[in-house]
Amino acid sequence: MWLALGSAAWLLWKPTTHETSPRLSLLLHATLALPFATLAALFLVNNTSVLHVAAFGGEALPLKYRFAATWAAREGPLLMWIGWMALLAWWWRGPLAGEATTEGNQAQRWRLRSIHLMSLTLLLVGFSLDPFKATPPFFTGAGLNPLLQTDLMVIHPPLIFLAYSFCLHLTAVAFAAAYTNQNDGLGERMLRIARPGLFVATLGIGLGGLWAYLILDWGGYWAWDPVETGSFLPWLALVMLVHLRTRPGKVDSRVWVGAGIVTGMLALFATTVTRAGGVWASSVHTFVTSDSSTPPDDVFGRLMVLRGDAAATEVMTYVVWMFMLIGCWLAIARRPADDKPLPRASAWAATLPAWTAGIGSLFLTSSDGAWMAWTTVPQIVFVTVLVVPLLLVRPFAPPAEKDRKLPWTYHGWLPLPLDAVFPLVVFALTSDVFITAAMAVLFAPLYRSKDALSAWPWAAGGVMLGLALAWSQLLSIAVAGVVLLMFVLPWLVAPQNDERNPLDVRERKGQQIVALWSSVILVSLYLVLSWVLLLASIDAVNFEAHELYGAPFLAGLGASLFLYARRHDKASTNLLLLAGAGALSVAGFVFAPNAFGSDSETMVSEHLTRGHLVWMTFPLLALATAPIGREVVRNVQTARKKGTWKRIPLGAHVVHLGLLLLLLGHLSTTVLVDRGDAAHRISLVKDEVIIHDGFGFVFEELVLESENLEVGDGFIGVQIGIFAVENGDVGERIGEVLPGTLRFDNQGTPRSEVDTLTRATGDLVFIFDGSQAGGLMASAQGGSLSDVEVVRVTIYNLPHSHVVWLGWGMMMLGMLAVAWTGMKRDNGMQPGGESQHEEE
C-alpha cells in the first residue's frame, strides 16, 4: 500500500516519466496494482493471517473462487479498481489526438495528473478500509457468499470496474481540455477511450444479466434492481458520448467536456449505489435509519446517515467527488465557449476527494477507533463542495443590448443570476440536494447560452427531469410545473421573428436530421428518466415504472433507426410505413391488448397492462429490423469489394441490429412475464402428468448428492420429466431438468440451482421452491425422502429468450469491431503513441 502511495505521488509529480525512463514508468504503474495483486495472492494461498482472507476465503474453495473471493467485500474491488486505472493510464500514457500541439504537451500532462490523482484518491480510501488487517484471535469467518461461487462472478465484477475506469479516464480528458483550452481533436480523444469502454461495459453488464438468469431464483436477467440500474447509467452516458459526432452540426467543446464529466460522475454514482450499504433498501443491502429510527426519504439524507458507518470515509469521498465534478461542470458552463481556459487555481477543487479520503483515513477512521467521527462534520460541508470550483470563475458578462444579435437570452430578459436563484428556489421547495444539483447541471448551460433557443437540448433535458420527477412522485405537480416553466420559458416569451429554417419531416433531409439527433437526445432523456426512477427506488424497486415510462423511448428508438436505415429511400414512403406501424400500435393497443398471451393481462398501472406496453413498442421495433439488416448486408458487400472489414459503419449497424433483437426478445421474456404472479408456481405430484402452459410435467424423483460437488456441502434436486402436449393430449418426452438447492453449512445460506430446458423457440426455466427444499434437506439427514409425493416448482416459459442473447452477442461483436477499427485508423494506436488522424 505504501509503495503504491509513493508511486502515485511520483506520477502526480512527473506524469511524463515514460518519456525519460520507460522502465521506471512501467514499474511505477505496476506498483499501483501491487496491493490488489498481493491481496489476490493471499487469497490464492489462503493466508488466513489476514482478516479479509480469513473472513471470505477457504482452503476447500477451488482456485478460481479463491480469486473471486478477493472482491467479496469492500477492500478487494477498490484495490482492483486502482489496478485497472493504472493499466489504462500506462496504455494511454502518450499524447492523444491534438494533445501534442500544446506547449509542453500541457493537455497530456493535465490528463495524466488527473488520472493519477483519481488513483491516489481511491488508494487513500483503501487505507481507511485497512485491507491487510491482521486476523484477531479465535476469529472464524463465514466464508465466501454462495452467490459468488460461480464462474461468472470470476469475470463480471472486474469488467464492471474496468468499465468505470474507462469512465474516469474520460473525465480526465475533459478536465485537461477545460483547464488548457486544448480542444483540437477533443472528440477524437474522447471516442478513442469511449468506444472500448462501451464494449467492456456491455460485456460486463451482459455477463451480470447472464449470471442472474442462470443462478438467481427469479428466472430473469433484468429486474431494474438499483445495482443493475446504477451500472446502466454510465452505459447510457457512453452510448450518448459515442454518438455525439453523428448528430447534425459542430459539437461545442463544452458538450464534449460535459459528456466526459457526467460519464465519470455516473460511474461514481453507480459505485455509491452498490457500496453505500442500505441507502437503496430495495436492493440486497441493509436498511439504514437515522437516530430516530426513521429513514430519511431522500438519497442524500441516507448517505449522510452513513457518516456513522465503518466505511464512512469511502462513502463520503464518493459524495465529495460527485459534487466536485458537478461544481466543475457548473464552472465550465459559466464560461463562454471561445473564452480562455478555466483559471488554474480553480483546479485545486479537483483535489477535494483526495483530501477527504486522506483526512478520513488519518483522523476520522482507524482500526483502533477515531478521535473524531464523520458524524461531527455538518451536512452543509458536503453541499458546499458544489460551489468551490465556482469561487475563482467569474461568469462572462451578458452582451450589451446593441451588440446582441441573437434572439433571446435569460440574462437579457431578466437581469438576475437565475442560474443561482433557480436552484435555490428548487431546494427551498424540495429540500433534496441531488434533485437540486441535477436542475443546476441542466439549467446552467441553458441560462448561459448566448442563444437560449439554440440550446434546446438542455431545455429538453430539463423538461424530462421535471416530468420524471412528477411521474415518480418525487415532486408535486405544482413544483414540477415550476421546473418545466423555467426550462420552456424561452419558447413562451421569445420574439416570434426567428429566421431559423423550419424542420420539414416530409423531406429526406428533415427525416435524417431527426434520426441523427435522436441518437443523442433519446439516449440522454432516457438517462435522465432512469436516474430519476433510481432515486425513487430507495424503498422499493418500481419495475413497472421503468418499463411503462421507457416504452415511448423504445418506440422512438425504432422510428429513428428506421429513418436512418432508409435515408436513401423515398421520404413519403418512410412516412407511410411509420404511419402504418403507428396505426397498428394504436389498433392493437385498443382492440387486442392481450393478443401476445403470456402475462399480457397483468396491470402495470391503473389503466395499462403489460400487453399495452408491448403494443406501444413492438411494431416500430419490428419495422426497423429489416432496414437495419439491409444496412448490415450492404456494408458486408462493401467490405468485400474493398477487401477490408475495418469499417466503423459495418460494426455500428451490427450493434444496431443486435440492439433491436435484444429489445424484441426483452418484450417476450421480461415485459410479458410477471415474475410475481403465483400462476407460475405449480405443485407437481409424483408420477402424475400436470399440464401447464402447453407442456406436461412429471415429478419423477428427488435427488440427493453430497459427494463430488465443486462447491457446497449438499444438493437436493427434483427430477422433472417434460412432455409435449397437443390438443390436450400428452405426447412425446422432450427432455428433463433437475432444479434444486445447494446447501452451504458455514454460511447457513442455501443457493438455488436453476435448471433450463433449451428449445429452438426459447427456454423453460425451472426453480425448486426454496422453503420446501430447505425442509427436505433437514428431513434427509434424518431419514428417507421416498414418501415425498408433492413438490413445488416455479416454471417460466420464455419464448424468444435466445434472441436476447443473440442480440447481446451481436452488440459486443459490433462494438469490438468499432473500437478496434477506430484504434487501427489512428496512427497512434500503439501504447504511448500519438494520434494524428482525425476521422471523417
Side-chain angles (χ1 to χ4, degrees):
M1 292 284 286
W2 286 104
L3 287 173
L5 186 65
S7 296
W10 180 282
L11 290 169
L12 264 176
W13 178 39
K14 292 185 176 182
T16 55
T17 298
H18 60 275
E19 296 176 354
T20 56
S21 182
R23 291 183 178 179
L24 177 60
S25 174
L26 177 60
L27 177 62
L28 292 171
H29 285 84
T31 304
L32 284 172
L34 184 60
F36 174 73
T38 303
L39 186 63
L42 292 172
F43 269 100
L44 289 175
V45 300
N46 195 40
N47 187 334
T48 55
S49 65
V50 174
L51 178 60
H52 195 41
V53 178
F56 302 103
E59 193 169 355
L61 287 174
L63 284 179
K64 58 184 177 181
Y65 298 148
R66 293 190 196 181
F67 182 64
T70 309
W71 42 85
R74 293 179 176 275
E75 298 85 347
L78 197 68
L79 300 183
M80 177 172 59
W81 198 356
I82 298 168
W84 284 133
M85 291 288 290
L87 175 64
L88 296 184
W90 180 82
W91 183 261
W92 281 306
R93 62 195 181 278
L96 299 178
E99 288 184 338
T101 61
T102 58
E103 182 180 354
N105 291 1
Q106 286 298 310
Q108 175 198 6
R109 292 173 180 270
W110 272 81
R111 171 173 59 84
L112 292 176
R113 280 200 171 99
S114 297
I115 292 169
H116 297 312
L117 179 61
M118 295 177 192
S119 297
L120 176 64
T121 303
L122 294 173
L123 188 59
L124 291 172
V125 171
F127 271 98
S128 75
L129 297 175
D130 197 3
F132 299 99
K133 182 188 303 181
T135 305
F138 311 111
F139 176 83
T140 302
L144 183 61
N145 188 316
L147 294 177
L148 288 177
Q149 298 183 41
T150 63
D151 291 349
L152 288 172
M153 279 295 106
V154 181
I155 310 170
H156 165 64
L159 288 174
I160 291 298
F161 279 97
L162 176 57
Y164 293 168
S165 299
F166 277 102
C167 294
L168 291 181
H169 273 64
L170 287 168
T171 300
V173 173
F175 268 22
Y179 284 101
T180 65
N181 208 32
Q182 180 52 46
N183 299 320
D184 294 338
L186 177 57
E188 186 65 32
R189 297 200 293 275
M190 288 284 189
L191 291 174
R192 188 176 177 189
I193 296 173
R195 285 167 175 162
L198 181 58
F199 166 75
V200 172
T202 305
L203 178 59
I205 293 174
L207 288 176
L210 184 60
W211 168 78
Y213 187 68
L214 297 176
I215 301 299
L216 298 186
D217 57 357
W218 51 277
Y221 57 88
W222 194 261
W224 294 109
D225 180 88
V227 172
E228 296 172 351
T229 309
S231 65
F232 187 50
L233 297 179
W235 185 88
L236 287 173
L238 288 167
V239 171
M240 178 270 295
L241 197 152
V242 300
H243 285 89
L244 272 180
R245 202 161 59 181
T246 66
R247 72 165 184 78
K250 181 181 178 181
V251 183
D252 188 277
S253 61
R254 283 185 297 179
V255 175
W256 285 112
V257 170
I261 290 176
V262 76
T263 303
M265 196 279 289
L266 289 174
L268 293 169
F269 191 84
T271 306
T272 305
V273 172
T274 305
R275 298 170 71 84
V279 172
W280 276 265
S282 56
S283 189
V284 296
H285 304 291
T286 305
F287 198 74
V288 293
T289 60
S290 65
D291 294 337
S292 62
S293 299
T294 302
D297 57 3
D298 68 294
V299 170
F300 180 76
R302 293 196 179 185
L303 288 172
M304 291 299 99
V305 170
L306 291 178
R307 287 178 297 167
D309 189 80
T313 294
E314 181 185 9
V315 177
M316 296 306 108
T317 299
Y318 295 149
V319 172
V320 170
W321 204 337
M322 288 187 288
F323 286 171
M324 179 274 293
L325 291 177
I326 293 172
C328 287
W329 165 243
L330 296 179
I332 292 166
R334 289 163 68 90
R335 306 293 288 182
D338 55 353
D339 204 355
K340 297 179 181 180
L342 291 175
R344 299 293 177 89
S346 66
W348 286 103
T351 66
L352 288 175
W355 282 107
T356 303
I359 293 173
S361 299
L362 291 173
F363 303 113
L364 299 178
T365 57
S366 72
S367 57
D368 300 323
W371 64 270
M372 184 177 178
W374 276 109
T375 52
T376 62
V377 181
Q379 297 185 19
I380 189 63
V381 171
F382 299 95
V383 179
T384 55
V385 174
L386 283 165
V387 301
V388 170
L390 301 173
L391 297 179
L392 297 176
V393 178
R394 183 170 58 88
F396 70 91
E401 186 70 30
K402 62 180 181 180
D403 297 328
R404 188 184 299 124
K405 299 179 181 180
L406 297 174
W408 197 88
T409 61
Y410 280 89
H411 42 72
W413 176 69
L414 184 65
L416 283 176
L418 293 179
D419 56 341
V421 173
F422 179 45
L424 291 175
V425 171
V426 170
F427 182 75
L429 294 173
T430 65
S431 300
D432 193 300
V433 174
F434 276 102
I435 290 177
T436 303
M439 297 287 184
V441 164
L442 294 171
F443 186 69
L446 178 65
Y447 173 78
R448 292 290 171 181
S449 172
K450 296 179 181 179
D451 178 7
L453 296 178
S454 295
W456 62 268
W458 298 107
V463 170
M464 184 71 256
L465 182 63
L467 291 175
L469 289 168
W471 294 338
S472 60
Q473 299 182 357
L474 290 178
L475 288 188
S476 66
I477 298 298
V479 176
V482 173
V483 172
L484 295 177
L485 177 63
M486 288 302 299
F487 281 100
V488 302
L489 191 63
W491 289 266
L492 297 178
V493 302
Q496 300 300 313
N497 57 355
D498 196 1
E499 298 179 357
R500 292 176 176 81
N501 294 325
L503 181 66
D504 189 353
V505 294
R506 296 172 299 177
E507 298 180 357
R508 186 183 298 171
K509 181 180 179 181
Q511 292 179 4
Q512 285 313 294
I513 290 175
V514 171
L516 293 174
W517 266 113
S518 295
S519 62
V520 175
I521 297 301
L522 279 178
V523 174
S524 300
L525 299 186
Y526 189 56
L527 169 59
V528 172
L529 172 66
S530 300
W531 180 78
V532 169
L533 293 179
L534 178 57
L535 288 187
S537 300
I538 55 177
D539 287 328
V541 176
N542 199 335
F543 174 92
E544 291 78 9
H546 280 283
E547 297 293 345
L548 173 61
Y549 298 130
F553 289 92
L554 300 188
L557 171 67
S560 63
L561 287 176
F562 171 80
L563 288 176
Y564 178 71
R566 290 180 56 87
R567 59 193 177 280
H568 302 302
D569 296 307
K570 196 174 181 179
S572 58
T573 303
N574 293 341
L575 289 179
L576 285 174
L577 290 171
L578 283 176
L584 179 61
S585 286
V586 173
F589 186 94
V590 175
F591 300 109
N594 302 326
F596 294 101
S598 194
D599 295 325
S600 56
E601 298 181 5
T602 304
M603 303 298 294
V604 294
S605 70
E606 186 177 355
H607 303 291
L608 299 178
T609 65
R610 291 174 179 261
H612 285 126
L613 299 187
V614 175
W615 276 116
M616 291 168 64
T617 55
F618 174 76
L620 285 169
L621 291 175
L623 180 68
T625 303
I628 289 293
R630 183 183 64 175
E631 285 293 307
V632 172
V633 173
R634 285 177 175 176
N635 277 272
V636 169
Q637 293 172 343
T638 301
R640 286 179 175 176
K641 288 180 181 179
K642 294 187 175 182
T644 177
W645 296 91
K646 298 172 184 176
R647 302 188 69 251
I648 287 180
L650 173 59
H653 288 306
V654 171
V655 174
H656 296 155
L657 181 58
L659 178 60
L660 287 171
L661 293 177
L662 186 151
L663 292 174
L664 287 170
H666 178 79
L667 297 180
S668 295
T669 60
T670 303
V671 177
L672 284 175
V673 179
D674 181 7
R675 288 172 171 80
D677 189 349
H680 295 290
R681 296 187 285 274
I682 64 175
S683 296
L684 299 181
V685 181
K686 191 168 186 180
D687 298 328
E688 179 179 329
V689 178
I690 302 297
I691 297 177
H692 174 77
D693 202 13
F695 296 91
F697 304 106
V698 177
F699 161 36
E700 296 178 339
E701 64 174 325
L702 287 174
V703 176
L704 286 171
E705 295 180 4
S706 58
E707 304 291 337
N708 301 321
L709 296 174
E710 184 179 32
V711 295
D713 301 295
F715 171 81
I716 184 170
V718 53
Q719 181 174 308
I720 301 172
I722 308 166
F723 297 83
V725 175
E726 298 180 5
N727 300 320
D729 297 326
V730 178
E732 63 179 1
R733 184 186 183 95
I734 60 176
E736 65 180 44
V737 291
L738 186 65
T741 298
L742 273 173
R743 189 182 80 248
F744 293 81
D745 293 338
N746 285 343
Q747 291 82 3
T749 304
R751 188 182 83 192
S752 177
E753 289 289 285
V754 179
D755 204 357
T756 302
L757 176 68
T758 300
R759 302 170 296 128
T761 57
D763 291 341
L764 280 173
V765 178
F766 296 80
I767 305 167
F768 191 16
D769 182 86
S771 59
Q772 184 181 20
L776 291 176
M777 274 189 175
S779 301
Q781 296 176 357
S784 172
L785 296 176
S786 59
D787 58 343
V788 176
E789 296 293 329
V790 179
V791 294
R792 299 187 298 273
V793 181
T794 300
I795 303 175
Y796 296 114
N797 183 9
L798 305 179
H800 316 121
S801 58
H802 307 331
V803 178
V804 173
W805 306 114
L806 173 63
W808 173 56
M810 291 181 65
M811 289 177 67
M812 288 191 300
L813 180 64
M815 288 176 180
L816 182 61
V818 169
W820 182 252
T821 302
M823 293 176 68
K824 294 292 286 185
R825 289 172 63 175
D826 190 331
N827 292 333
M829 76 154 292
Q830 296 298 327
E834 176 184 343
S835 169
Q836 299 292 340
H837 176 78
E838 184 68 22
E839 181 186 306
E840 69 273 8

